[in-house]
Amino acid sequence: MTIGLIMLATSINAIAIVSDFNNVIPRPNNITILSDSDHFSLNNNTVVCYDIDNESNSIHLRKYIKDATGIDLKTTHKKHCKNFVRLAINEKIYNPEGYRISVSKNCCLIEGKTKAGVFYGIQTLRKSFVPEKSASIDIPIVLVEDEPRFGYRGALLDVSRHFFKTEDIYRFIDMLALHNLNIFHWHLSDDQGWRIEIKSRPELTAKASVRPETVIGHNTPKYDGKPHGGFYTQQEVRDIVEYASDRNIVIVPEIDLPGHAQASLTAYPNIGCTGGPYELWKIWGVSEEVLCAGNDSTYRFIEDVLGEVADMFPGELIHIGGDECPKTRWKNCAKCQAKIKELGLTDQPGRTAEQQLQRYIMEFAQDFLTKRGKRVIGWDEMLEGGIGGNAVIMSWQGEKGGIEAAKMGLDVIMTPTSHMYFDYYQTSDIENEPNANDGYLPIEKVYGYDPVPKELTPEQSKHIIGSQACLWSAYIPTFKDVEYMSLPRLAALSEVQWCMHENKDYKRFTNSLETLLRQYDSMGLNYSRRLFDVDAKFSTDADAKHIMVTLDAVNNAKIYYTLDGSEPDTKKNLYTKPFEITNSSTLKAIAIHDGFGTGPVYNEKIDIHKGVFRNITLHTSPSSNWCAAGCQTLNDALHGNANRESGRWMGFREEDLVATIELGDDNEVSEVEVSTCMVKNKWSFHASKIVVELSGDGVTFTTVATEEYPHITWDQNDGVRKHSLKFEPSIARYVRVTVQPDRKPEGHNVHGGGYVFVDEIVIR
Ligand code: ACM
Ligand code: ZN
């Protein structure tokens, strides 16, 4: 009878899932297949036996396998001799988070130097197969030996700009665990809301955890009229800390000082320079309202808050912020100025008295926490006023601060906006994405990041203790959006943090990603599929007068395309090799990814106007970071979209753009169209003036069109504007175009003037 039942059960789920460690992300350092002809079968009769340190790991393993496959493993503390998985500590393993998986026909042994190592062995096992209801998993006879490259593998979640419920925080921790991250940087306070109960400071949660409404979009003049907020009680925090710890994740709480502090001021106005009244900020950006550094109450406030925070979070590291603290208030505050005097601070080359005052307040917090056995982390602005002790620097404004700190012998965590800000768009096609922070960070760029800068010596490199992704939530309103912005970029990050740089391989990564994406599916995670999009590259051949188009998609997916604007489908025009375009066309293309369908249709207008295939000379210099691929970008037949960072736009600030396009022979010309791209928050505005001049000899030019535009106002929408300058049809060989940035846009205090981002200069 029993045998009959078992046979019935196996015949229902007859096909075993096959595990393959080559598909695990992050990729284990060493995978040695010991036998091809056999396997270990994990099934309902498999027993997980664990030593005493690994009881919680046995519970994790059992749950992961049950959720993914339905297989119900038994667990026991006792020894077992057949069909078992053993979870054990092995002191001989070198790295505290290292692990080893040894599989034989009879058993699967997962060992770690510590229970953290065993936990990562379990993660690797669960990621080695595609989740599916089944009666068994065939695990190859294999030896996996693995350890992480970095000891600090973090991700930041900002819960101030948008609040996420405790269930969401648990889910976030599960996401980090799945990717072998071990630090959750919890950004708990900012201008838009205070998020953690401080018993000695009840007004923080009573008055500063719910803002009355929130700005819509990128600081438009509109508000949603809806209160938003919430906070975590100390009990909730302690439960979350324990949940994280059980998954080898340390929580680094951040209380941002002395800037990004408008929530603190809203609750306790006496600790601000003006005394208030203050209210929670309803917009995004950097507020000028900061903690008053000349007020004793401010220091008592810091002690009260950090004292309770230190008690709630058992980890060594506490983040005390230090970023983006404008000094406007301090300059005009009698108390701050008196403090500066009392401390004997004076302006020094490269270091103002106010910057040194910031150092004073940060060191006050640092000393307080050091006495409690803690170590502080601060954003790289901490370096501006000078820094002491053993503070850890978090390098976010590029790598410069991190390099400087490592050279000073300080430990560093790399989180440069360029590679680690996951609130940025993950595709250039931003019109078809949820609203995000203006920045562009495709997954391939994340993947390619090496946190150890080349400038550092091997000795200095030891101070780069890890890297971290940041999810700032101004434009991430729901937890589903957190998932979408994180995944699968978190998978790319996990290889940056875990794997040696030389062992990374983007092709291998994308090929093995499917197994992980199926894991996301089984966990109900909302992930982006934009890495499946068609990627098109264009190269102009001026002599042959054509544009070569090369299409690509990850994992050698089949691509179908059209050039007449019609919708592509799988019945016609399979892409097989690069092709030429000689006339204006609309390229549309799709890539087919088995099991994942197709992404949005790739759509590009190739505009072969009179200026294309012609010589262009730029007489002025773009801003250093905004050179695109050189001035050929301005007449390459391709138009930039609202993504300023797509590589199609050249940015000018210090100088006007002045460019001459040489038409080669006499041409009739009657219109020049210049596109500009506005992203107000990034100080990029439309042009204030455009001039078109024509010439027959390239020496004497005649102005044929001049347009001046009113200053940009804050209520205007971001995006692309086409400036069309029409004039009497004229014969010309040279067209010179001047584009002047709006250096004084209204209502915006733009230091150094606004940029103008220019793309295609179309000549008709
Ligand atoms: C930051 O992005 N202000 C650290
Ligand atoms: Zn002050």
Side-chain angles (χ1 to χ4, degrees):
M1 185 65 190
T2 318
I3 290 168
L5 273 179
I6 290 168
M7 282 176 64
L8 186 64
T10 42
S11 67
I12 289 169
N13 303 307
I15 301 169
I17 295 170
V18 177
S19 142
D20 181 350
F21 289 95
N22 289 304
N23 286 334
V24 173
I25 293 172
R27 163 85 160 199
N29 290 306
N30 285 301
I31 302 168
T32 315
I33 300 288
L34 302 173
S35 163
D36 279 335
S37 59
D38 228 328
H39 61 263
F40 169 69
S41 177
L42 189 104
N43 53 40
N44 281 316
N45 298 321
T46 304
V47 178
V48 179
C49 22
Y50 54 88
D51 61 27
I52 195 68
D53 292 319
N54 281 299
E55 179 162 5
S56 66
N57 276 330
S58 75
I59 296 166
H60 292 312
L61 176 61
R62 181 164 186 239
K63 178 162 169 41
Y64 293 147
I65 299 292
K66 181 105 200 274
D67 289 352
T69 66
I71 296 169
D72 198 2
L73 302 173
K74 292 164 192 62
T75 60
T76 174
H77 182 42
K78 299 204 184 87
K79 283 238 155 61
H80 208 78
C81 58
K82 230 178 123 206
N83 189 7
F84 65 95
V85 178
R86 199 157 104 75
L87 308 180
I89 300 297
N90 180 344
E91 301 281 353
K92 291 201 192 103
I93 293 171
Y94 176 73
N95 188 300
E97 294 178 300
Y99 70 89
R100 181 189 296 167
I101 303 175
S102 335
V103 185
S104 66
K105 192 168 161 36
N106 196 28
C107 71
C108 170
L109 177 60
I110 304 179
E111 298 168 298
K113 168 98 172 179
T114 64
K115 73 180 198 140
V118 175
F119 183 73
Y120 293 122
I122 290 170
Q123 295 304 325
T124 288
L125 178 62
R126 86 188 269 222
K127 285 183 281 190
S128 70
F129 57 87
V130 173
E132 203 175 343
K133 288 286 162 263
S134 184
S136 65
I137 307 170
D138 290 354
I139 303 177
I141 308 298
V142 75
L143 175 66
V144 179
E145 291 166 300
D146 199 15
E147 62 179 38
R149 178 182 181 197
F150 293 105
Y152 183 111
R153 303 183 301 280
L156 171 149
L157 183 63
D158 164 17
V159 295
S160 173
R161 277 48 176 263
H162 282 100
F163 176 71
F164 303 105
K165 301 187 297 288
T166 52
E167 303 97 275
D168 298 330
I169 303 301
Y170 285 114
R171 198 161 163 83
F172 191 65
I173 290 167
D174 288 343
M175 285 160 57
L176 303 192
L178 178 68
H179 296 90
N180 297 17
L181 273 70
N182 64 358
I183 300 282
F184 167 29
H185 175 171
W186 205 0
H187 186 79
L188 285 160
S189 72
D190 217 297
D191 301 312
Q192 294 83 357
W194 186 273
R195 302 287 175 233
I196 182 168
E197 180 188 22
I198 302 294
K199 290 190 197 287
S200 61
R201 294 285 176 162
E203 306 290 40
L204 284 169
T205 41
K207 290 197 176 144
S209 66
V210 181
R211 61 176 177 265
E213 57 180 354
T214 304
V215 71
I216 292 175
H218 293 215
N219 286 352
T220 64
K222 296 201 190 96
Y223 291 82
D224 66 2
K226 291 185 211 143
H228 177 88
F231 67 90
Y232 311 100
T233 66
Q234 294 206 351
Q235 189 54 50
E236 284 170 338
V237 168
R238 290 200 160 91
D239 292 345
I240 287 168
V241 165
E242 192 182 323
Y243 186 88
S245 163
D246 198 28
R247 286 151 184 80
N248 193 42
I249 291 170
V250 173
I251 301 187
V252 175
E254 180 183 356
I255 302 297
D256 211 336
L257 305 171
H260 286 287
Q262 204 161 314
S264 311
L265 302 181
T266 302
Y268 296 97
N270 64 320
I271 60 174
C273 291
T274 65
Y278 302 97
E279 60 170 16
L280 287 178
W281 230 23
K282 301 184 276 191
I283 61 170
W284 317 125
V286 177
S287 168
E288 292 192 334
E289 303 301 346
V290 304
L291 300 183
C292 177
N295 189 336
D296 279 348
S297 328
T298 302
Y299 295 90
R300 301 296 81 75
F301 174 83
I302 292 173
E303 286 171 342
D304 287 348
V305 171
L306 293 183
E308 290 191 38
V309 167
D311 287 345
M312 270 182 273
F313 293 92
E316 188 193 18
L317 295 168
I318 306 269
H319 203 303
I320 54 173
D323 59 323
E324 298 181 315
C325 176
K327 307 295 188 292
T328 341
R329 291 285 178 260
W330 290 3
K331 283 207 169 81
N332 297 305
C333 169
K335 287 186 200 162
C336 285
Q337 290 304 317
K339 190 80 183 175
I340 283 174
K341 219 163 167 194
E342 178 198 321
L343 297 169
L345 306 176
T346 52
D347 285 348
Q348 303 290 330
R351 196 165 281 178
T352 64
E354 283 77 18
Q355 283 173 329
Q356 295 167 69
L357 184 60
Q358 171 155 349
R359 172 183 181 155
Y360 176 79
I361 196 167
M362 297 312 281
E363 283 189 345
F364 175 85
Q366 185 178 4
D367 289 347
F368 176 81
L369 288 167
T370 306
K371 287 197 193 92
R372 288 170 178 251
K374 303 289 186 185
R375 185 177 182 200
V376 301
I377 307 186
W379 298 107
D380 56 37
E381 286 94 330
M382 294 266 279
L383 297 164
E384 287 171 8
I387 177 91
N390 64 349
V392 180
I393 295 298
M394 201 166 255
S395 189
W396 73 280
Q397 302 178 99
E399 293 188 320
K400 204 164 69 44
I403 292 168
E404 185 188 332
K407 287 185 175 170
M408 288 162 64
L410 295 172
D411 284 347
V412 170
I413 295 147
M414 283 296 187
T415 177
T417 56
S418 56
H419 292 79
M420 293 284 119
Y421 269 38
F422 285 10
D423 51 333
Y424 289 1
Y425 285 104
Q426 45 202 319
T427 164
S428 204
D429 177 26
I430 66 177
E431 283 88 354
N432 293 306
E433 281 290 285
N435 187 27
N437 197 354
D438 303 292
Y440 176 38
L441 179 52
I443 185 168
E444 188 169 2
K445 189 170 179 193
V446 175
Y447 190 82
Y449 185 56
D450 182 354
V452 178
K454 305 257 177 306
E455 291 89 329
L456 298 181
T457 64
E459 203 48 40
Q460 292 163 344
S461 301
K462 289 183 189 152
H463 289 293
I464 309 296
I465 59 172
S467 61
Q468 171 177 293
C470 293
L471 283 144
W472 300 102
S473 63
Y475 307 107
I476 307 184
T478 72
F479 196 74
K480 280 283 156 219
D481 297 311
V482 171
E483 293 173 8
Y484 182 81
M485 297 307 277
S486 314
L487 304 172
R489 286 189 288 196
L490 215 44
L493 174 72
S494 77
E495 293 219 346
V496 170
Q497 295 173 328
W498 188 277
C499 303
M500 296 309 288
H501 191 60
E502 56 275 19
N503 294 343
K504 283 156 58 195
D505 173 348
Y506 188 64
K507 253 200 159 79
R508 187 261 302 148
F509 169 77
T510 58
N511 266 309
S512 49
L513 195 56
E514 179 178 346
T515 305
L516 186 61
L517 298 186
R518 293 298 180 213
Q519 183 76 49
Y520 296 167
D521 285 331
S522 95
M523 293 167 76
L525 291 165
N526 177 34
Y527 59 93
S528 166
R529 290 160 172 80
R530 299 305 306 235
L531 91 157
F532 290 138
D533 288 1
V534 173
D535 179 30
K537 292 207 165 49
F538 302 87
S539 69
T540 304
D541 187 331
D543 296 332
K545 300 217 173 343
H546 68 228
I547 292 174
M548 281 302 275
V549 182
T550 308
L551 302 181
D552 196 9
V554 295
N555 303 347
N556 296 322
K558 281 193 172 137
I559 299 171
Y560 298 86
Y561 70 97
T562 62
L563 288 169
D564 59 3
S566 63
E567 292 309 304
D569 61 45
T570 55
K571 296 191 192 71
K572 56 181 189 291
N573 281 0
L574 171 69
Y575 174 80
T576 53
K577 61 178 195 311
F579 55 87
E580 295 161 9
I581 290 184
T582 50
N583 297 311
S584 290
S585 316
T586 298
L587 167 65
K588 291 192 175 182
I590 47 168
I592 312 293
H593 293 273
D594 287 342
F596 291 99
T598 58
V601 176
Y602 180 88
N603 187 341
E604 180 84 55
K605 281 198 173 56
I606 296 125
D607 181 3
I608 303 198
H609 53 85
K610 285 190 168 162
V612 180
F613 308 131
R614 308 300 185 180
N615 244 351
I616 180 165
T617 309
L618 190 59
H619 307 290
T620 52
S621 301
S623 265
S624 55
N625 287 333
W626 302 109
C627 307
C631 59
Q632 291 75 13
T633 320
L634 300 172
N635 66 332
D636 62 359
L638 305 169
H639 290 251
N641 69 355
N643 177 2
R644 191 187 70 143
E645 302 187 20
S646 61
R648 297 245 171 116
W649 296 96
M650 294 190 95
F652 292 80
R653 176 157 76 161
E654 297 81 7
E655 296 189 89
D656 296 353
L657 173 155
V658 185
T660 303
I661 296 168
E662 210 175 309
L663 298 178
D665 42 26
D666 286 345
N667 272 265
E668 188 179 89
V669 181
S670 62
E671 182 191 2
V672 169
E673 181 194 274
V674 177
S675 293
T676 57
C677 180
M678 181 154 83
V679 183
K680 296 192 292 298
N681 277 328
K682 301 267 170 132
W683 303 1
S684 309
F685 309 96
H686 295 306
S688 67
K689 184 174 174 185
I690 299 178
V691 180
V692 177
E693 298 162 286
L694 303 181
S695 169
D697 58 7
V699 179
T700 312
F701 281 84
T702 309
T703 303
V704 290
T706 301
E707 283 193 2
E708 292 193 36
Y709 310 96
H711 287 305
I712 292 299
T713 54
W714 205 252
D715 55 351
Q716 291 174 35
N717 288 335
D718 285 354
V720 177
R721 179 181 290 175
K722 290 186 193 302
H723 306 77
S724 165
L725 288 86
K726 295 201 169 102
F727 42 88
E728 280 299 307
S730 316
I731 301 297
R733 285 194 176 207
Y734 298 87
V735 180
R736 187 159 74 195
V737 178
T738 300
V739 183
Q740 186 180 301
D742 187 348
R743 296 201 163 93
K744 277 202 181 315
E746 268 177 30
H748 200 55
N749 181 18
V750 179
H751 313 284
Y755 291 92
V756 66
F757 274 70
V758 181
D759 184 31
E760 200 66 2
I761 299 177
V762 177
I763 300 175
R764 302 199 201 280

